[in-house]
Amino acid sequence: MHLSMWTYPWDVQGQGLERTFFDLAGRAGLNSISLASSYHAGRFLQPRSPKQKAYFPQDGTVYFRPDEALWEGKSIRPLMADNVAERGDMLEALTTARDAGSGMKVSCWTVCLHNTRLGMLHPGHVTRNAFGNPNYYNLCPSSPAARDYVVTLVRDMTTRYRPDMVELESPNFMGFAHEFHHEKDGVGLNAEDDFLLSLCFCDHCMARGRLASVPMEDARATVRGFIAELCERDVPERQFPDFPAAGNDAFNAWPALRAFLEWRTEPVTSLIAEIRAKADPASRIVLIDLADGWMGGVDLQAVGKVCDGAILCCYFMEPEQVAALMKAGREALGPEKYLGAGYRVFYPEVTSPEALADRARAAIEAGADGINFYNYGLIPEKRLDWVRRAVDGLPQ
């Protein structure tokens, strides 16, 4: 069973390799570490760090040493984080320890298209709403240059470091809210409003959609109209009663928009397929996804045909909801592909070790092959015992 914890390089550097392995393997009972290998900016409270209780990582950098030969001539290129030069290559340290028999299995937790730094540098390759406004935090999966960047990124880390697994975060379209900083919304956007604002009609999507005979101009005009309407109301209103439960069917009354929503899974699925094809065969490639991943253009059944599986995040879910999600995930992926569950060990999202154990057990009993816990450096040390309680209670 795959049992891992999402971890930042600076947490390993702060604790040291020996202490990290003791905490994750010895105390928490895990057999893998999922290291952030490409990541975005943020502000993190670090309760376990002996010196740095607040940490602000560089935006849109990678935490390994890129192979310059692979990146020659590429228009979008990675930036190695200063952390690597100043404090060491933790991906190399972890894979070296694994190969020497003194470490754990290693996964590369890889943020793909969520990259504000690169979006600001390459505005022609970001998603754009129906009014043409850029979302700088989201490189577009329809952009050839953005696709080449992500494919080369995964190829680079897998051919040099040979991780056991690569966990793909955000190889898809992203939502509108809570992806940037200091966001302002005086309208009071509801879930469907956020979805409409997230739909991409950049030049790359328009061209790719037209090649697939999708009525892109009509779809864009429909969405533009909905956005204009939501901005004019005195208070928010629901326009689509079946959203999000009905998925794309909530928009059946607008054929052009419905056709566009069906099409937008294609750039995501084909990107993941290309990542898998160009990565080292020894590394499993899995998608990190959410319960309503369709809103980001993810067709889990299609994804299961082109990569090695998925980790479905179960944040805020009770055991019965976890079980339902895992059963749906297994049905979509098929019996041979990896299916994992992801949990945050955050309070009050999880209020006790018993609650975490119940949710973890529900996932395995419903067909999951493993569990990822979040996050080594962000939780108090005593919550490692909550993870151990959950691991010890799993059916074998």
Side-chain angles (χ1 to χ4, degrees):
M1 187 182 299
H2 181 81
L3 299 169
S4 191
M5 183 166 281
W6 285 304
T7 303
Y8 298 126
W10 50 89
D11 296 325
V12 181
Q13 291 158 342
Q15 300 295 329
L17 280 180
E18 185 176 348
R19 177 59 186 269
T20 298
F21 293 149
F22 171 79
D23 283 345
L24 297 184
R27 185 166 182 176
L30 307 176
N31 53 32
S32 301
I33 180 170
S34 296
L35 187 77
S37 305
S38 170
Y39 210 67
H40 49 71
R43 185 219 66 198
F44 305 123
L45 175 63
Q46 303 283 134
R48 301 195 56 234
S49 174
K51 296 181 179 179
Q52 195 159 16
K53 297 304 182 187
Y55 193 86
F56 291 78
Q58 279 179 278
D59 190 19
T61 58
V62 300
Y63 291 88
F64 64 91
R65 298 182 185 276
D67 180 353
E68 287 301 317
L70 287 178
W71 294 98
E72 186 175 355
K74 305 288 186 186
S75 58
I76 302 180
R77 298 165 56 90
L79 174 66
M80 186 183 78
D82 294 343
N83 170 285
V84 178
E86 295 168 357
R87 303 182 67 185
D89 185 341
M90 291 301 99
L91 183 55
E92 181 177 52
L94 290 171
T95 53
T96 298
R98 176 203 61 189
D99 295 344
S102 58
M104 310 171 71
K105 290 189 296 180
V106 180
S107 293
C108 287
W109 169 24
T110 306
V111 173
C112 298
L113 296 173
H114 180 18
N115 196 310
T116 304
R117 186 187 67 82
L118 288 177
M120 291 289 190
L121 288 173
H122 305 280
H125 300 283
V126 301
T127 62
R128 291 176 179 263
N129 64 29
F131 284 84
N133 312 130
N135 299 312
Y136 291 110
Y137 52 80
N138 188 187
L139 296 171
C140 182
S142 289
S143 159
R147 293 168 69 91
D148 190 35
Y149 163 74
V150 176
V151 169
T152 307
L153 186 73
V154 177
R155 180 187 175 195
D156 194 348
M157 67 176 66
T158 59
T159 52
R160 176 174 178 181
Y161 295 90
R162 304 292 178 92
D164 299 275
M165 180 182 287
V166 176
E167 302 165 0
L168 303 175
E169 178 181 326
S170 70
N172 50 275
F173 299 101
M174 299 176 67
F176 178 71
H178 197 59
E179 306 296 353
F180 203 64
H181 54 83
H182 295 301
E183 295 179 344
K184 308 295 183 182
D185 164 27
V187 174
L189 299 175
N190 58 35
E192 64 188 39
D193 298 337
D194 180 86
F195 178 66
L196 292 167
L197 283 162
S198 78
L199 297 178
C200 181
F201 295 93
C202 73
D203 290 345
H204 304 290
C205 279
M206 294 297 287
R208 199 175 182 101
R210 290 189 195 106
L211 286 175
S213 300
V214 178
M216 298 296 288
E217 285 77 10
D218 290 345
R220 179 173 59 186
T222 299
V223 175
R224 187 179 294 175
F226 287 139
I227 293 173
E229 289 174 12
L230 73 88
C231 289
E232 293 170 1
R233 297 191 190 99
D234 53 349
V235 294
E237 295 178 13
R238 293 283 303 273
Q239 299 180 80
F240 313 101
D242 297 332
F243 181 89
N248 291 340
D249 289 340
F251 304 92
N252 284 343
W254 298 271
L257 176 54
R258 182 68 167 77
F260 165 79
L261 295 176
E262 287 296 315
W263 163 81
R264 72 195 287 264
T265 65
E266 185 280 326
V268 177
T269 301
S270 61
L271 173 57
I272 295 172
E274 191 173 350
I275 292 170
R276 172 63 282 176
K278 297 294 180 66
D280 190 285
S283 299
R284 287 196 289 181
I285 307 296
V286 304
L287 170 69
I288 300 175
D289 200 16
L290 302 172
D292 287 323
W294 68 271
M295 288 195 280
V298 173
D299 178 342
L300 197 58
Q301 186 172 12
V303 166
K305 292 181 172 66
V306 299
C307 73
D308 302 305
I311 298 169
L312 303 181
C313 295
C314 303
Y315 305 156
F316 295 103
M317 290 187 179
E318 295 300 325
E320 58 274 13
Q321 296 170 304
V322 171
L325 180 62
M326 291 300 113
K327 289 175 182 176
R330 177 55 70 202
E331 182 177 357
L333 293 171
E336 303 301 321
K337 296 301 175 85
Y338 177 79
L339 174 63
Y343 297 95
R344 288 188 298 211
V345 194
F346 285 9
Y347 186 92
E349 183 175 329
V350 179
T351 56
S352 69
E354 293 80 13
L356 183 62
D358 288 345
R359 297 178 192 187
R361 185 170 58 254
I364 300 301
E365 289 177 345
D369 301 306
I371 296 177
N372 275 44
F373 298 93
Y374 187 96
N375 175 293
Y376 180 48
L378 299 181
I379 60 174
E381 181 179 351
K382 291 180 180 178
R383 281 196 217 148
L384 294 172
D385 299 328
W386 292 23
V387 174
R388 185 57 182 251
R389 176 82 168 267
V391 168
D392 286 347
L394 295 177
Q396 300 301 315

